[in-house]
Every structure is written in C-alpha cells, then in structure tokens.
C-alpha cells in the first residue's frame, strides 16, 4: 500500500490531506488492515464503470441508507486491489470484472458511526477503477437493498457527496 500511495497523485487539496494521513496511519499501525483496530482501519473500494465508461454501478447500502461504490474491510489482506475486486464480486454477483488500472484511483477518509458496541472510527479507503459489462446479471447482497447502473451525469441525484463526486 505504501508503494501505491507513493505513486499516487492526489486530485485536490482534500486528497493531498488524505494522502498524508493515510500514509502516516499505515506507517504507525502495523495492524491497519484489521477491523479489530478500533480507531480505524484500511478499507478498499471499487469504482465500477461500464465498457463505454459512461455508467457506474452503485449499491444502496442497507445500514447507511445511501448509494455508494462497492467496497469493504481488508480483514488482514494488505493487497488492497485484491480486496476491492473481491468486494465488488461479493456485492454485485458480477463474475467478469476487469481492472482498468492497478494504480489507486481515489482515496478517502470517512467517519463510521458507533454501532452495536463498535465505537466511532475512521475508514481509510483506497479505491480502484474497474470495468464490467452492464448486460451481466447482478445480484444484490445482504448488505444492500439495490444495485443500479447509473449514468455518470446522474450520479449526483443518488449521492452528491464530495467523495462520490470526486470519482465521477
């Protein structure tokens, strides 16, 4: 991850800050890929585009009641691209997902609220750019209520957060 971060060029000032903070966090916490690190942990996400690169596949997160990219906990796996791919497959049912770039696409740090005895903590999210066929059947996972291919021009109607709009 540190090598990927070294190669990454932040998009804007917010990402420059995230870039520094994620690097510092990883260097200071050998168990940064474990969700048992209660102050926060590294997560990995996938920004999935169609072959024309005009649609993205978003999932409606059941617990948070919002539309997001797929992604999740590393659970000890330091290969964040592998985690992003695994999460994309598990959360969509897609079997033919390809990697557009092995480099980091986006980074984000966000607060996760307290839930079921797990304290408020941070997700240090590393995101990758993937591609899938819009015609392949998708399967909604237990973590979601829906999956939808959304034109990039309409993503803001589903989630207009800085985090999502930066990826658009």
């Amino acid at each position: 991850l540190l090598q990927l971060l070294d190669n990454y060029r932040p998009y804007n000032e917010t990402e420059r800050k995230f870039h520094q903070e994620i690097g510092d966090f990883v260097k200071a916490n050998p168990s940064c890929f474990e969700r048992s690190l209660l102050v926060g942990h590294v997560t990995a996400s996938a920004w999935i585009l169609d072959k024309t690169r005009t649609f993205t596949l978003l999932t409606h997160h059941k617990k948070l009641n919002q539309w997001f990219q797929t992604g999740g906990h590393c659970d000890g796996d330091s290969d964040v691209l592998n985690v992003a791919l695994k999460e994309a497959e598990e959360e969509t049912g897609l079997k033919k997902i390809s990697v557009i770039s092995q480099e980091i696409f986006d980074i984000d740090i966000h607060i996760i609220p307290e839930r079921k005895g797990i304290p408020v903590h941070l997700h240090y999210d590393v995101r990758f750019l993937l591609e899938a066929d819009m015609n392949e059947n998708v399967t909604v996972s237990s973590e979601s209520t829906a999956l939808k291919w959304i034109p990039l021009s309409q993503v803001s109607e589903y989630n207009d957060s800085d985090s999502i709009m930066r990826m658009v």
Side-chain angles (χ1 to χ4, degrees):
L1 176 55
L2 291 174
Q3 184 176 354
L4 286 169
L5 287 168
D6 282 346
N7 294 334
Y8 185 67
R9 299 295 163 251
Y11 173 73
N12 60 21
E13 191 55 41
T14 299
E15 270 202 314
R16 275 188 275 288
K17 180 176 174 262
F18 291 160
H19 187 254
Q20 181 67 48
E21 290 177 16
I22 291 173
D24 291 348
F25 178 77
V26 170
K27 290 173 191 168
N29 294 283
S31 60
C32 64
F33 299 102
E34 299 287 350
R35 71 171 84 194
S36 59
L37 183 60
L38 295 180
V39 297
H41 31 266
V42 174
T43 57
S45 294
W47 187 250
I48 304 170
L49 296 175
D50 72 315
K51 292 182 186 302
T52 68
R53 300 196 179 155
T54 58
F55 286 78
T56 188
L57 182 60
L58 296 183
T59 181
H60 189 264
H61 196 280
K62 192 180 286 186
K63 292 177 189 172
L64 299 176
N65 192 30
Q66 290 183 7
W67 289 93
F68 294 108
Q69 75 282 357
T70 62
H73 292 96
C74 292
D75 292 326
D77 188 348
S78 63
D79 184 342
V80 284
L81 175 55
N82 181 59
V83 173
L85 274 165
K86 178 179 69 84
E87 292 290 333
E89 291 170 359
E90 287 176 1
E91 294 181 17
T92 67
L94 292 169
K95 302 293 183 221
K96 297 177 186 170
I97 301 174
S98 58
V99 177
I100 294 173
S101 172
Q102 295 194 11
E103 298 297 322
I104 294 171
F105 174 61
D106 185 77
I107 53 177
D108 194 72
I109 300 173
H110 47 271
I111 296 172
I112 302 300
E114 183 276 330
R115 188 168 191 281
K116 293 187 178 180
I118 298 172
V120 170
H121 60 281
L122 296 174
H123 277 182
Y124 295 85
D125 200 34
V126 181
R127 297 151 173 197
F128 292 90
L129 194 56
L130 308 180
E131 181 179 280
D133 184 347
M134 283 179 62
N135 296 313
E136 186 179 344
N137 289 333
V138 294
T139 304
V140 177
S141 77
S142 61
E143 298 175 15
S144 302
T145 59
L147 286 165
K148 186 172 184 178
W149 284 101
I150 300 169
L152 291 174
S153 62
Q154 295 175 16
V155 168
S156 63
E157 297 169 27
Y158 293 81
N159 184 334
D160 66 353
S161 69
D162 289 343
S163 173
I164 294 291
M165 296 313 298
R166 192 174 54 244
M167 289 187 288
V168 171

